Amino acid sequence: MKKVVLYMRYSSANQTEQSIEGQDRVCTEYCARNDMIIVERYIDRARSASHDTAKRTEFLRMIDDARKRQFETVVVYKLDRFARDRYDSAVYKRKLKEYGIKVISATEALSDNPEGVIMESLLEGMAEYYSKELAQKVRRGLQESVAKRKYLGGVTPLGLQNVDGKLVPDPATAHIVVEAFELADKGWSAARIIQHFNGLGYRTRKGKPFSRTSLRTMMHSKKYIGYYVWGDTEVPNIYEKLIDEDLFWRVQEKLKMNRKRKGAVDEPYILTGKLFCGTCGSSMIGESGKGKGGKVYRYYKCLQQKNHDGCSKKPVSKALIEDAVINITKEQLTPERIDYLADIVLQEMQKNPVPSKLPALKSQLSEVSQKLENATAAILQGNSSATLTKVMLDLEAQQAQLQEQIEDEAIKEKLQNITKDMIIHYLQRIDQADPERLIETFVEKVILYDTEDGNSRQIRIIFRLDGEAGLVELPEECSGTALHALP
């Protein structure tokens, strides 16, 4: 079952909106119908979603927990429960997507405001573009620091320490990191390593016992092989290497194989939440399985048929139906349609402009960085203490958080200055650059039917703006028999 979390918000300023208990009931029923297991609930009471994301403590806790990749989807009662500020929505959805997490609504099968949904989806896609652009600028700006092998800030992982502006192995804890990689290379499981380390009294950088999350974070840190990593930016040879590169990459491969054995999805099923069975009306979910000879088949299967509830619908090839939907949707983006979409997106964006928080954030970062420099200088002068070390760790965490907030705010500023030509350029290449975004933006629902004679299959697509399209026949599936035989 897919692991999901619920995010619910209630603002006391609006007494007509659905209560937390009501949101919970609707979202829980939705998850039960769609084969989802709820692993956490995040609730902000009496919090508005407009312009004060920092006050939504549970929302921010959810975003932070998303980094641990312990869930796959965020379910909300309505999309405006996630964020009313369209720019925050785009930035945070982009951030969740980096972790492989989607946001879906339990009640909005069809959009009340398709133009607004299209605009937010396009903003989210363009936020990804600007994030990569920003990373490229940072990469170019790092060249001088690369030459000097300077420490560029951020959280210092266990086993390393900042000495005179450079990140070097920490004699007190480096052996823990080396031992972890060596044990993983020998085939020890995460549970066994954690039990072993905690039994020896080893502690994480924060002084806590090891857990799966802390071990996984440590095992994936490229700082141990000298990399500086910031978003999509990776610059090698900045730090002194603590782990041999061959050992590091061997362990990464073993961790990857472990995830595959546990059934981790290695590619997106872009029709998830949009594809429905034309026989019984249930959702069709993405699955994979092996046929004879070990060949892997990826397909969509009716949820009711999967649960043996009487539906006779056969699975459908993932590639077959996704390609068909992508091609049909691409045909909708004529030059005239693109021009029209660019106009309505601009009209939506001109409503409720959002003031910039960049000056205030940069001022806070400057203060924290100065305090961190002072603390570092004190340690270098021999004034080290447990209290001062804790202060440095807290300041490093604040610095990393502010740097991330500044990046997000810079992207939001970019989004508010988008022109019509920029939107047109984006739409002209969306099908090639991001087919998943193409479907997310323009397709509401896809229904898969079997013909009466059972010899062919048809799909009906409901688009956000134009409503239903006519039935389109799918090509014949050469692997249909093999798919039907899968569990």
Side-chain angles (χ1 to χ4, degrees):
M1 298 177 72
K2 179 174 290 188
K3 293 181 179 180
V4 306
V5 299
L6 307 186
Y7 175 69
M8 294 164 285
R9 181 182 57 79
Y10 178 80
S11 172
S12 58
N14 185 356
Q15 298 299 331
T16 63
E17 64 186 342
Q18 182 68 279
S19 68
I20 293 296
E21 292 71 24
Q23 293 178 43
D24 193 308
R25 175 179 52 77
V26 172
C27 292
T28 299
E29 290 173 354
Y30 174 87
C31 293
R33 291 196 305 270
N34 290 279
D35 204 30
M36 298 172 172
I37 182 171
I38 300 169
V39 298
E40 181 66 283
R41 287 172 167 82
Y42 301 89
I43 302 171
D44 279 316
R45 294 182 184 271
R47 291 285 185 266
S48 168
S50 180
H51 309 325
D52 67 345
T53 300
K55 296 180 182 179
R56 292 198 287 156
T57 55
E58 283 293 279
F59 179 85
L60 295 177
R61 183 170 75 89
M62 178 184 70
I63 298 297
D64 190 56
D65 287 349
R67 304 172 198 272
K68 304 170 187 176
R69 292 172 169 80
Q70 294 179 342
F71 54 89
E72 304 164 69
T73 303
V74 176
V75 178
V76 294
Y77 174 71
K78 292 181 68 175
L79 291 175
D80 67 6
R81 299 298 85 195
F82 183 77
R84 281 188 180 140
D85 176 340
R86 57 180 61 94
Y87 302 105
D88 265 350
S89 179
V91 166
Y92 282 109
K93 283 183 181 177
R94 182 223 14 125
K95 196 182 296 289
L96 289 174
K97 186 179 178 183
E98 289 179 1
Y99 310 139
I101 297 169
K102 295 183 69 174
V103 179
I104 59 176
S105 166
T107 60
E108 296 164 309
L110 294 175
S111 305
D112 295 330
N113 178 8
E115 292 85 356
V117 174
I118 288 173
M119 182 209 65
E120 286 202 10
S121 184
L122 291 180
L123 284 179
E124 186 183 341
M126 297 185 85
E128 292 179 37
Y129 170 79
Y130 285 131
S131 178
K132 292 175 182 177
E133 181 188 66
L134 188 58
Q136 290 174 348
K137 290 181 179 178
V138 170
R139 186 183 291 112
R140 289 195 295 268
L142 288 174
Q143 297 310 309
E144 182 179 349
S145 294
V146 170
K148 297 178 180 179
R149 298 181 69 186
K150 284 283 186 180
Y151 177 47
L152 301 173
V155 176
T156 304
L158 184 73
L160 298 175
Q161 61 179 345
N162 179 8
V163 176
D164 196 20
K166 294 183 179 180
L167 212 57
V168 299
D170 177 6
T173 59
H175 68 95
I176 298 176
V177 180
V178 174
E179 188 176 346
F181 277 89
E182 290 177 345
L183 292 176
D185 190 40
K186 291 177 181 178
W188 281 40
S189 67
R192 188 180 177 189
I193 294 174
I194 291 167
Q195 184 180 29
H196 175 65
F197 277 11
N198 290 338
L200 292 173
Y202 292 168
R203 292 295 180 262
T204 67
R205 175 182 166 276
K206 295 182 179 180
K208 298 180 179 180
F210 275 87
S211 65
R212 284 187 176 275
T213 299
S214 57
L215 183 66
R216 180 172 59 247
T217 300
M218 183 175 77
M219 300 302 285
H220 286 295
S221 177
K222 292 183 180 178
K223 287 182 179 179
Y224 295 130
I225 53 172
Y227 279 71
Y228 174 74
V229 180
W230 184 83
D232 293 328
T233 302
E234 293 186 358
V235 184
N237 302 318
I238 284 197
Y239 312 130
E240 182 179 341
K241 295 177 183 179
L242 176 60
I243 301 296
D244 176 75
E245 280 204 51
D246 288 339
L247 171 61
F248 181 87
W249 292 116
R250 283 200 308 271
V251 169
Q252 301 312 303
E253 190 61 31
K254 289 180 179 181
L255 294 174
K256 182 179 178 181
M257 294 302 295
N258 287 339
R259 289 196 299 274
K260 286 188 175 181
R261 282 195 290 270
K262 292 177 181 177
V265 177
D266 56 356
E267 62 177 81
Y269 286 75
I270 65 176
L271 295 180
T272 298
K274 295 182 179 290
L275 181 61
F276 294 85
C277 173
T279 302
C280 70
S282 296
S283 298
M284 296 191 69
I285 59 174
E287 291 198 346
S288 64
K290 290 185 179 180
K292 293 181 180 179
K295 182 178 179 180
V296 176
Y297 292 93
R298 293 181 172 84
Y299 54 96
Y300 288 91
K301 190 171 190 177
C302 171
L303 184 59
Q304 189 163 310
Q305 197 275 336
K306 170 185 168 64
N307 293 334
H308 308 291
D309 287 339
C311 184
S312 60
K313 173 72 70 180
K314 295 186 297 183
V316 62
S317 162
K318 173 184 183 296
L320 180 77
I321 193 165
E322 287 185 354
D323 287 348
V325 175
I326 289 170
N327 290 332
I328 295 168
T329 305
K330 281 165 56 177
E331 293 172 0
Q332 308 298 310
L333 293 180
T334 62
E336 295 77 17
R337 171 55 54 78
I338 288 176
D339 188 76
Y340 167 72
L341 289 171
D343 282 336
I344 66 171
V345 168
L346 282 178
Q347 290 171 13
E348 286 288 324
M349 287 175 57
Q350 288 168 1
K351 302 174 183 177
N352 303 319
V354 180
S356 175
K357 301 174 185 173
L358 267 180
L361 289 171
K362 288 182 177 179
S363 176
Q364 291 177 49
L365 178 61
S366 178
E367 291 178 12
V368 170
S369 298
Q370 185 59 55
K371 290 178 181 178
L372 187 56
E373 285 184 19
N374 294 341
T376 302
I379 289 178
L380 291 175
Q381 292 171 8
N383 298 323
S384 181
S385 68
T387 301
L388 187 55
T389 300
K390 183 180 184 304
V391 168
M392 277 197 66
L393 293 176
D394 290 342
L395 288 170
E396 285 180 351
Q398 290 179 45
Q399 185 184 55
Q401 185 180 47
L402 284 167
Q403 287 170 336
E404 186 173 348
Q405 289 176 347
I406 287 172
E407 175 195 347
D408 292 342
E409 198 66 26
I411 293 171
K412 286 169 64 175
E413 277 202 356
K414 283 264 193 180
L415 293 177
Q416 292 191 79
N417 292 311
I418 289 174
T419 65
K420 181 176 179 178
D421 286 343
M422 294 164 70
I423 297 171
I424 289 174
H425 175 71
Y426 177 79
L427 288 171
Q428 286 172 338
R429 58 189 291 275
I430 187 174
D431 60 288
Q432 299 173 353
D434 195 349
E436 184 176 3
R437 176 68 53 198
L438 173 77
I439 300 304
E440 181 63 32
T441 303
F442 298 107
V443 175
E444 281 283 2
K445 190 174 185 179
V446 181
I447 307 170
L448 176 67
Y449 299 96
D450 295 327
T451 55
E452 290 185 5
D453 58 15
N455 293 327
S456 62
R457 321 187 82 171
Q458 298 172 322
I459 57 173
R460 184 185 301 279
I461 302 176
I462 300 175
F463 295 104
R464 292 204 190 278
L465 291 176
D466 292 338
E468 296 187 18
L471 285 169
V472 176
E473 190 161 322
L474 289 176
E476 185 177 347
E477 290 186 62
C478 60
S479 56
T481 302
L483 286 175
H484 188 44
L486 287 169

